[in-house]
Amino acid sequence: MPRTVRVRSAYKTAYFWVTEEVQPLWRRAQADRITLTYPVLPGANPGRFLQEAYPLAAVFEREGLLAEFVAGTDSLPLYQATLWRGSQQLWQGSCFTPLAERQSPDGRTVLAPTGWLTVRAGSVTAHDQPVPTDGELFWDWYNATVLPAILELADQRDDGLVFKNLSVHLHLSEPDLALDVLNERISMTEALTEEIYFGTMDALKRHTSTPVSARHLTPGRIVPVARATPGQDGLARVSLTEWGDAPQESSPVDPGLPADGGIRGVLLDRPSPPARTWASAQTLAKQHSLEWHVPAHSMDGRPIPVVLRATPGTPDGVLVTAGQHANETTGPVAALEFITELASTTANFAVIPLENPDGASLHRALTQIAPEHMHHAARYTSLGDDLESRLRQGRPRWEARARAWAQKETGASLHLNLHGYPSHEWVRPFSGYAPHGFESWALPAGFITILWHWPGHEVPARRMAEAIAQRLALDPEVAGHAARALRASSAHNLKPHYELIHGMPFILTEQPAALCPITVITEAPDETIYGAPFRMFVKAHLTVCAAAVSHHLQVNK
């Protein structure tokens, strides 16, 4: 009796079904069009399974296949594909998506991927049940064992601290796969490091009745490391270092770093170690006869240098900051390169090339192990908070002191804040798929520029956005990348969070709590990129900075 075994991926099922089973069919049949119907399930985000099919739109475009994505209407976890040549239907098939209902650390009920085994004998189904995967088994154990212990520790202190370090080392059988389209990867190990980091924070926020959008909690440093070890048994090891006394902030002292420090220049095609950044900043300060100050130190004692020109009586200065989120890697390089251009102007300015050196040091260590993972564990400070949240709370402690000091010294009315976001899809499969609280940043959409403005500054902000967009659109490399990324992501995104100005994505929003009347935030899809793409986005930061400063000086002359 013939036996057939069909094995499908339990994670991003639609992508693998289409590329492994449907793609050979459309090539043989010479189809020119495909309709992909995605499920819309009760309780799930309507666009969740459209996003989960990403980056199929880019695959279809590469294959020369016209594609239509259609929302399903039968509330079943099925994708359906129909192949066409002209108006002739050539083939139709469907694929079951195995899902399990679970509770996320913040208390939401979500649908998550699971394994599934179906056994049929003729027309009889002998077995049709979920089978937990390695990733599920680990995540269930972490939620049942580790998170309750962390919440118990949190209850033992009244200062907001929970642990000094929480390290999670994980080996899983699921492979990491680089796709042959865009800069995309499919990696359960990377996804689980995101779950560990943000899931731990979500649990603490729920436990303390803190809003999901808050970034001021200071539990400590969370360091997840996951490796793919196909064919081997899973392994997890968790270690936790408790706080003794709460850390105390001391008065900053200039470390007196020697120029260059024996290090010749910052790396230009990948993240630089903090010491290189500091040495390059000091060299540029001396080269252009600028001031060099260290007004703050990180919680771990690393310096936060500022390169400064503060001429008395010169208003409307410019503040440039980078490295606030240390896994966003191109900003510090661009900030250093922009010092020379600022020095050629008459403006007061301050440049802080690396605001979060503790995070940068952790990011460097993590990328030695997994260079293709996003490592949001290095996003915030060693205490676990976002340094900007300290400014909003009126407590510019440790790293945040440098930004507050620099704005005051220069009288800055324009803030250039250089950032980044993931260069490939960002997912949390066991928490509703899209990253909870960051859903709009799940898919890369090219180089994005954000303008914050104080109340009453909407018109000046829009004029500045127009000036920046015109300059960016003239760069064929950056504009071309944005066009490709926008085509791929918009097909899988029901509600883009940006508007297009001269073909480039922008976000303009009123932000009364911003440090300056206008803040320009650059968002390069730079997490996990190296080489030529890294240089391209450094150039994009510089283009935005130059356009913004030119417009700012012209308006305020």
Side-chain angles (χ1 to χ4, degrees), residues 162-435:
V162 183
F163 44 76
K164 192 169 186 179
N165 290 285
L166 172 66
S167 298
V168 183
H169 289 262
L170 180 64
H171 294 249
L172 281 185
S173 63
E174 281 92 341
D176 288 351
L177 299 174
L179 305 186
D180 61 350
V181 60
L182 305 174
N183 192 41
E184 287 305 319
R185 302 180 61 79
I186 293 179
S187 170
M188 177 56 76
T189 55
E190 180 184 48
L192 278 170
T193 63
E194 296 296 298
E195 291 287 21
I196 292 164
Y197 180 78
F198 287 106
T200 303
M201 295 296 292
D202 286 348
L204 286 164
K205 287 177 181 179
R206 181 189 183 197
H207 191 66
T208 57
S209 300
T210 301
V212 66
S213 60
R215 300 183 181 183
H216 65 268
L217 292 190
T218 56
R221 182 188 286 113
I222 305 169
V223 185
V225 176
R227 294 178 172 89
T229 51
Q232 300 182 28
D233 291 338
L235 171 68
R237 184 176 70 253
V238 177
S239 59
L240 184 145
T241 305
E242 293 189 53
W243 285 101
D245 296 331
Q248 300 297 315
E249 185 176 20
S250 57
S251 298
V253 178
D254 191 325
L257 298 173
D260 291 335
I263 302 171
R264 295 294 175 181
V266 73
L267 299 176
L268 298 178
D269 65 348
R270 64 198 58 241
S272 281
R276 277 184 179 267
T277 301
W278 299 329
S280 296
Q282 192 169 44
T283 297
L284 285 164
K286 290 188 175 183
Q287 179 181 333
H288 297 290
S289 301
L290 302 170
E291 298 177 42
W292 161 271
H293 296 276
V294 181
H297 283 75
S298 71
M299 202 278 291
D300 287 346
R302 294 182 174 92
I304 318 290
V306 179
V307 175
L308 182 77
R309 180 167 68 202
T311 305
T314 304
D316 297 308
V318 177
L319 171 63
V320 182
T321 61
Q324 173 186 333
H325 301 152
N327 66 322
E328 301 166 4
T329 54
T330 54
V333 176
L336 286 172
E337 291 199 19
F338 197 55
I339 289 173
T340 297
E341 181 155 347
L342 282 170
S344 69
T345 72
T346 59
N348 277 353
F349 67 86
V351 177
I352 310 175
L354 186 57
E355 287 195 290
N356 181 8
D358 293 352
S361 180
L362 174 60
H363 182 259
R364 180 165 176 78
L366 291 174
T367 53
Q368 305 306 303
I369 300 169
E372 303 302 332
H373 287 188
M374 294 178 281
H375 298 305
H376 283 108
R379 177 181 174 90
Y380 298 141
T381 72
S382 293
L383 290 176
D385 63 336
D386 192 320
L387 67 89
E388 187 172 59
S389 69
R390 300 174 189 169
L391 292 168
R392 296 196 180 194
Q393 292 181 307
R395 301 180 67 201
R397 306 172 66 197
W398 286 294
E399 295 90 342
R401 289 179 59 177
R403 186 186 292 190
W405 178 89
Q407 192 278 332
K408 184 177 179 181
E409 289 292 311
T410 57
S413 58
L414 172 64
H415 181 192
L416 305 176
N417 195 357
L418 313 188
H419 281 261
Y421 71 106
S423 63
H424 59 260
E425 186 185 18
W426 181 7
V427 296
R428 290 182 58 193
F430 300 124
S431 299
Y433 193 75

Side-chain angles (χ1 to χ4, degrees), residues 316 318 338 341 345 413-414 416 451 457-471 518 520 543-557:
D316 297 308
V318 177
F338 197 55
E341 181 155 347
T345 72
S413 58
L414 172 64
L416 305 176
L451 276 86
H457 288 72
E458 181 178 359
V459 172
R462 174 111 2 220
R463 288 172 179 163
M464 179 171 284
E466 179 74 19
I468 292 170
Q470 286 180 346
R471 192 84 65 94
I518 294 180
V520 178
T543 298
V544 172
C545 289
V549 169
S550 175
H551 181 81
H552 175 73
L553 294 178
Q554 184 176 4
V555 167
N556 291 288
K557 65 182 178 181

Side-chain angles (χ1 to χ4, degrees), residues 14 17 35-41 45-54 56 68-81 95 97 491-494:
W17 172 59
T35 302
L36 186 69
T37 302
Y38 60 90
V40 178
L41 304 183
N45 184 304
R48 179 258 172 89
F49 294 97
L50 175 61
Q51 182 192 327
E52 196 166 330
Y54 176 84
L56 283 178
E68 181 183 21
F69 294 88
V70 178
T73 58
D74 55 10
S75 298
L76 295 175
L78 296 174
Y79 284 90
Q80 181 175 297
C95 177
T97 302
H492 294 274
N493 188 349
L494 289 179

